[in-house]
Amino acid sequence: MTTQSTHRAIVRQGSHSTVEERRTPTPGPGELLIAPESVSLCGTDIQIVRGDRDDPSPIVGHEGAARVMEVGTGVSGFAVGDRVVVNPTHPHDSSFLLGHNVEGLFQQRVVIGASAVGGGLVSLLPTDLSSARATLVEPYAVVRYALSCLARETPETLLIFGDGLIGNLAATLARSVLFPTVDVAMVHRTELGTKWTANHLPYVKNFAVDDEWERHLTGSVAVLVATHRAGTVASIDAALRRLGDRVVAVHPIGGVPAKATSDLLPGVDIAGVRQANTGGPTPPAVTTFTRGSQRVALTGNRGVTNGQLTAAATALTFAEDSIDGLLTHRRGIDEGTALMNTICEQRTRIVDDELVIRLVVDLNSHD
């Protein structure tokens, strides 16, 4: 039985979101009713709410832990009270993309459909992983997969475009996933972003977009693009144009516009390359091209496997406390909705002179 007949949900209407009471559904055969604990607002969520994407779900959110509240008939392996994480990307069913075309986690109760449950997209979480840190499970797994793709080309320098959570998380994990000696550089959009990374990750070389950063990078370079989707192709172009044949690998981890192409990569469907790695296959699908005398590997990914998610959860359980510094703003549902509206309506991650690396909204959290 469900514990309540209604629940609170953050529902978007245009670029503005409000907290509404919604009727709590009962899970059907093969489904699970879950209660999200804490959920973080990622860059894709922001793009959807702003209207930069046409994803139809009125409720976004796909990064967070939840507890099982009710188990539909025919479902095995789960019990009421289990802590779970939901893989938001179904590699074989495009009708399930959590928070995009099905209702997401920014609500106190949500039904996970039979396709996702039966497809193994719901995995158990460690009981001692905090609710807030659990919001990092999906981005942690995605970033680690992206870095593993770049590691195949043994770069001497990692160049990151984008200074949001994904970019800073990549900088945090770079020396453990790539090589202990790899140089890490980041191209920032804002002065506050530069200051934040410099204060929290002192080994990173920080640059503004217009700096002559190409003069300060050593050896072969792998490029990780973690910008919003409108900046993806421009970032790839900037790296290829300014670094020439020093680039050995390129991996867009953020959004990519449909049919995106670059004049510097004639005939290459950048979005298609990323799409080929839906679900985080190993080894990844790779498209190669030549720049001068250099062979360049182009990958990209959209989502990861369940195994990669659970491995990320385990790693986060034992990670140093410094990882929590990425979660800069933690709010309740009402305060979180207000901050979400400021970010989305004013199109800024700088609020009250502070950079919002990641907003975490507590929905049913007890820690």
Side-chain angles (χ1 to χ4, degrees):
M1 296 293 291
T2 58
T3 59
Q4 55 187 46
S5 58
T6 63
H7 65 273
R8 306 184 79 201
I10 303 175
V11 183
R12 66 185 180 98
Q13 293 144 346
S15 60
H16 186 79
S17 298
T18 57
V19 180
E20 300 180 3
E21 288 285 336
R22 306 190 99 207
R23 183 176 297 278
T24 301
T26 299
E31 298 179 337
L32 289 172
L33 178 68
I34 63 173
E37 296 175 344
S38 298
V39 180
S40 68
L41 181 73
C42 84
T44 302
D45 298 328
I46 294 171
Q47 291 174 37
I48 293 173
V49 176
R50 286 176 176 170
D52 297 335
R53 301 172 55 108
D54 58 2
D55 304 74
S57 174
I59 300 175
V60 298
H62 59 271
E63 297 178 358
R67 289 192 182 273
V68 175
M69 302 303 294
E70 191 169 349
V71 180
T73 59
V75 176
S76 60
F78 298 99
V80 172
D82 283 345
R83 295 186 81 215
V84 295
V85 62
V86 182
N87 191 333
T89 306
H90 199 309
H92 309 300
D93 182 3
S94 60
S95 69
F96 181 86
L97 191 55
L98 187 64
H100 293 249
N101 56 11
V102 300
E103 290 192 355
L105 299 181
F106 275 117
Q107 54 183 324
Q108 292 179 322
R109 298 290 187 274
V110 59
V111 166
I112 303 301
S115 173
V117 177
L121 270 65
V122 183
S123 302
L124 296 173
L125 277 179
T127 58
D128 50 354
L129 179 63
S130 74
S131 298
R133 190 178 288 194
T135 68
L136 289 173
V137 168
E138 200 261 349
Y140 189 103
V142 168
V143 165
R144 191 155 63 171
Y145 177 81
L147 292 174
S148 72
C149 292
L150 295 175
R152 297 163 61 90
E153 306 304 319
T154 61
E156 295 167 82
T157 294
L158 172 68
L159 175 62
I160 302 168
F161 286 88
D163 57 4
L165 179 126
I166 294 297
N168 281 289
L169 183 56
T172 301
L173 299 180
R175 289 183 168 176
S176 61
V177 179
L178 291 170
F179 316 102
T181 58
V182 71
D183 282 338
V184 182
M186 184 180 294
V187 177
H188 295 265
R189 290 183 292 160
T190 66
E191 184 178 350
L192 275 181
T194 302
K195 289 181 178 178
W196 194 94
T197 303
N199 287 336
H200 291 81
L201 303 172
Y203 54 86
V204 175
K205 297 177 180 177
N206 297 293
F207 304 99
V209 173
D210 295 330
D211 288 343
E212 294 183 342
W213 38 263
E214 67 274 15
R215 298 179 59 184
H216 302 278
L217 307 184
T218 58
S220 59
V221 181
V223 180
L224 182 71
V225 182
T227 65
H228 54 83
R229 62 167 22 186
T232 298
V233 174
S235 298
I236 294 174
D237 284 352
L240 294 177
R241 185 176 293 113
R242 294 170 66 171
L243 292 169
D245 60 8
R246 294 166 61 190
V247 177
V248 295
V250 177
H251 189 108
I253 194 174
V256 180
K259 306 298 182 182
T261 59
S262 164
D263 292 340
L264 300 179
L265 302 175
V268 176
D269 178 5
I270 300 173
V273 173
R274 176 175 176 262
Q275 185 73 24
N277 286 322
T278 296
T282 302
V286 182
T287 294
T288 60
F289 57 93
T290 301
R291 294 283 298 168
S293 61
Q294 180 62 56
R295 168 192 172 277
V296 183
L298 175 64
T299 48
N301 69 297
R302 187 183 187 192
V304 290
T305 66
N306 298 342
Q308 290 159 351
L309 283 177
T310 55
T314 299
L316 281 165
T317 301
F318 300 102
E320 296 181 359
D321 291 344
S322 59
I323 196 80
D324 298 318
L326 293 164
L327 307 173
T328 54
H329 293 68
R330 187 174 183 181
R331 301 288 189 270
I333 187 169
D334 295 300
E335 298 85 355
T337 303
L339 183 51
M340 183 187 303
N341 283 331
T342 299
I343 293 169
C344 294
E345 293 178 336
Q346 298 183 16
R347 290 182 171 266
T348 181
R349 290 192 297 124
I350 300 173
V351 181
D352 296 330
D353 296 322
E354 291 185 347
L355 182 65
V356 181
I357 297 291
R358 184 51 56 99
L359 166 63
V360 175
V361 179
D362 293 328
L363 297 164
N364 296 283
S365 174
H366 300 294
D367 61 37

